[in-house]
Amino acid sequence: MSLTPNALLLLNAQRHDLDDRPDGRVLARDWAHHVAEARSRGWLVTFVQWDAPHGAAWVTFSRDWTLHPDFRAEQGDVLVRAALPDAFEGSELSAQLHARAVQTLHVLALPGTPAAEATLHSARKQGFEVAPLEVPA
């Protein structure tokens, strides 16, 4: 397990987040570039894989639940499952980040989503510096 002060946190890298967006393919390619850059800098790459909320048009463990084809968790990356809008609540995310001495989270998320707002708020409360990356609306 490598220690690093920086982590790239992807909150919306599943098929159900990107496949139906008109700009989904372009956005996924841009995010994949950020993932490659983070890995080249020695940052921890962290994916949150959300379970389907009650009433969603997709279900947990379905094709839509999987990571978008432009992403894959590699050895040394962290992949955590979350069920609540705050990715820290009820998941291993905090423990995984603290175990690797992460101090700053560089966050990729779709703007205005409840998951982004709740997770960023929680990250700050837990003492992480948060550096959101620009994502077009």
Side-chain angles (χ1 to χ4, degrees):
M1 177 182 324
S2 298
L3 302 180
T4 177
N6 291 287
L8 178 64
L9 176 62
L10 285 92
L11 293 180
N12 303 110
Q14 288 169 270
R15 286 179 180 266
H16 71 86
D17 290 313
L18 299 171
D19 279 351
D20 293 334
R21 288 180 59 102
D23 64 343
R25 191 77 183 126
V26 171
L27 187 59
R29 287 182 185 153
D30 179 56
W31 287 9
H33 172 75
H34 286 292
V35 169
E37 180 69 21
R39 286 184 177 130
S40 74
R41 292 180 177 194
W43 293 4
L44 177 66
V45 175
T46 306
F47 296 95
V48 175
Q49 197 164 12
W50 302 96
D51 288 345
H54 182 70
W58 57 279
V59 297
T60 302
F61 302 118
S62 69
R63 181 179 184 272
D64 287 337
W65 180 78
T66 62
L67 293 177
H68 187 274
D70 285 351
F71 306 109
R72 71 176 186 278
E74 296 183 359
Q75 184 174 353
D77 292 350
V78 170
L79 177 63
V80 297
R81 284 179 59 191
L84 302 171
D86 175 359
F88 286 94
E89 190 173 343
S91 78
E92 299 178 358
L93 182 57
S94 183
Q96 292 285 347
L97 296 174
H98 285 299
R100 290 165 175 81
V102 171
Q103 299 169 4
T104 303
L105 297 178
H106 304 266
V107 181
L108 284 173
L110 297 175
T113 61
E117 293 174 24
T119 301
L120 294 176
H121 177 74
S122 185
R124 288 182 186 104
K125 281 179 55 177
Q126 293 190 38
F128 293 105
E129 181 180 331
V130 177
L133 297 171
E134 290 297 317
V135 177

